């Protein structure tokens, strides 16, 4: 096994795409991976680049985006630590990446060769089921995003974003941490950054949320759920 990827065995073993692999299989797959270290704003790949691998984020954040004809970015997804991306390329029949990938901050990613992973799941169908579950989750997430973007009212998009970002449903005042700059969140919601900020401050003025740096506290969840 390559020394540079040995420390990441446990990280991969804890991810559901690799949890079913026995030790020998995972070690063999790791020996065929390579680690890439990226500085902030460094490109991992560009749209139409050849796609020999998918990726596991060891640490950092990677944005997936396309550039519109007028030169604006449309962010499709932000991938954070211990998440994978570009795995769908293995089964799409495409040989090139359909999006751009760029580091939002200093990041480390493992490049996992698609042919080697396919070889593993071909021998063990249970691995294919785990991958199908992962792709289904991604599809569900994208369907929700399309539904959000179909809302004409920018306020509704921001409210839906806040609701979907709540992970601690048991807390009386859930706290959301914005892991990416507000301008990038606005891009994902297809609104201008100043519009996004204005809506947040309006919700804060109404005492529905509290904003402190990257942290947004939901003060009145019930009110937010029924916000018009």
């Amino acid at each position: 096994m390559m020394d540079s990827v040995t420390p990441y065995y446990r990280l991969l073993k804890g991810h559901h795409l690799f949890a079913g692999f026995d030790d020998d299989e995972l070690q063999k797959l790791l020996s065929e991976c390579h680690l890439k270290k990226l500085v902030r704003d460094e490109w991992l790949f560009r749209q139409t680049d050849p796609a020999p691998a998918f990726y596991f984020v060891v640490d950092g954040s990677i944005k997936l985006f396309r550039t519109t004809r007028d030169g604006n970015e449309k962010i499709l997804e932000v991938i954070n630590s211990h998440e994978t991306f570009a795995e769908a390329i293995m089964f799409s029949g495409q040989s090139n990446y359909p999006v751009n990938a760029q580091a939002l901050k200093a990041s480390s990613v493992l490049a996992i060769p698609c042919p080697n992973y396919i070889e593993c799941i071909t021998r063990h169908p249970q691995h294919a089921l785990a991958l199908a579950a992962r792709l289904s989750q991604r599809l569900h997430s994208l369907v929700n995003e399309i539904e959000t973007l179909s809302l004409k009212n920018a306020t509704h998009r921001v409210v839906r974003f806040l609701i979907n970002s709540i992970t601690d449903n048991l807390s009386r005042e859930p706290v959301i941490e914005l892991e990416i700059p507000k301008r990038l969140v606005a891009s994902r919601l297809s609104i201008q950054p100043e519009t996004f900020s204005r809506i947040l401050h309006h919700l804060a003025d109404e005492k529905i949320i509290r904003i402190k740096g990257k942290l947004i506290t939901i003060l009145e969840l019930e009110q937010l759920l029924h916000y018009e």
Side-chain angles (χ1 to χ4, degrees), residues 132-191:
R134 166 64 175 163
L135 296 180
S136 294
Q137 290 173 349
R138 184 71 60 83
L139 178 61
H140 182 69
S141 174
L142 292 175
V143 168
N144 284 341
E145 185 168 344
I146 290 171
E147 181 182 359
T148 297
L149 294 177
S150 68
L151 296 172
K152 295 181 180 180
N153 189 308
T155 299
H156 286 183
R157 297 184 197 177
V158 174
V159 168
R160 182 71 64 87
F161 164 76
L162 294 174
I163 292 170
N164 290 341
S165 298
I166 295 172
T167 57
D168 184 5
N169 293 321
L170 299 179
S171 174
R172 291 185 58 188
E173 294 185 352
V175 177
I176 299 165
E177 181 175 4
L178 297 180
E179 297 182 342
I180 60 176
K182 291 177 183 177
R183 61 179 178 82
L184 298 184
V185 176
S187 174
R188 289 194 69 180
L189 299 176
S190 295
I191 59 178

Side-chain angles (χ1 to χ4, degrees), residues 51-69:
F54 69 100
Y55 295 90
F56 176 87
V57 181
V58 177
D59 56 63
S61 296
I62 305 294
K63 68 174 177 179
L64 306 181
F65 68 99
R66 286 184 171 177
T67 304
T68 62
R69 291 182 179 179

Side-chain angles (χ1 to χ4, degrees), residues 155 159 198-210 219-220 223-224 227-228:
T155 299
V159 168
R198 186 172 63 251
I199 293 170
L200 286 182
H201 286 296
H202 181 71
L203 292 171
D205 290 342
E206 294 191 9
K207 309 299 183 185
I208 297 175
I209 65 174
R210 180 173 60 241
L219 302 176
E220 298 291 343
Q223 214 173 326
L224 187 67
Y227 195 87
E228 294 293 340

